[in-house]
Amino acid sequence: MSIYVGNLSYQVTEAAVSEIFSEYGTVKRVQLPTDRETGRLRGFGFVEMSSEAEETAAIDALDGAEWMGRDLKVNKARPREERPASGGWGGGGGGDRGRRNDRRY
């Protein structure tokens, strides 16, 4: 299981997150997702610790704590939800697609 850490500063580093969480046990991994287009941090991350007890201690201590000028949101990470295999916009109407477009502008 891993821990979700939200409301992170955009200047945070994996090393800084690891340092904070290491006060509550052994940090196995820190993951800070970035935006695909800009490469900028997305403001949240995930931390894996060695044991459930360490994770619980970190959650209890850090949820709501202020760090780097922000109030952290720390809780158990939920499993990733499955997304539909079809990429794109879903099935909705396609505007004027397939119709004769005789409007005058």
Side-chain angles (χ1 to χ4, degrees), residues 95-96 99-105:
D96 288 327
R99 293 188 211 147
R100 184 173 163 210
N101 189 358
D102 59 357
R103 292 187 214 148
R104 294 194 172 101
Y105 294 101

Side-chain angles (χ1 to χ4, degrees), residues 51-73:
S51 73
E52 183 104 9
E54 292 173 348
E55 289 180 354
T56 300
I59 291 168
D60 290 346
L62 296 174
D63 186 36
E66 185 189 338
W67 186 51
M68 296 180 76
R70 295 175 161 250
D71 294 334
L72 298 178
K73 178 67 179 157

Side-chain angles (χ1 to χ4, degrees), residues 19-80:
E19 183 178 331
I20 292 298
F21 278 81
S22 67
E23 294 179 29
Y24 305 97
T26 303
V27 175
K28 291 170 58 177
R29 186 172 85 152
V30 174
Q31 184 180 11
L32 300 176
T34 56
D35 183 270
R36 289 183 199 169
E37 293 180 20
T38 65
R40 181 177 160 188
L41 292 175
R42 296 180 65 194
F44 67 91
F46 300 94
V47 177
E48 277 185 46
M49 300 186 75
S50 291
S51 73
E52 183 104 9
E54 292 173 348
E55 289 180 354
T56 300
I59 291 168
D60 290 346
L62 296 174
D63 186 36
E66 185 189 338
W67 186 51
M68 296 180 76
R70 295 175 161 250
D71 294 334
L72 298 178
K73 178 67 179 157
V74 184
N75 54 39
K76 290 266 188 202
R78 290 180 285 182
R80 192 174 199 172

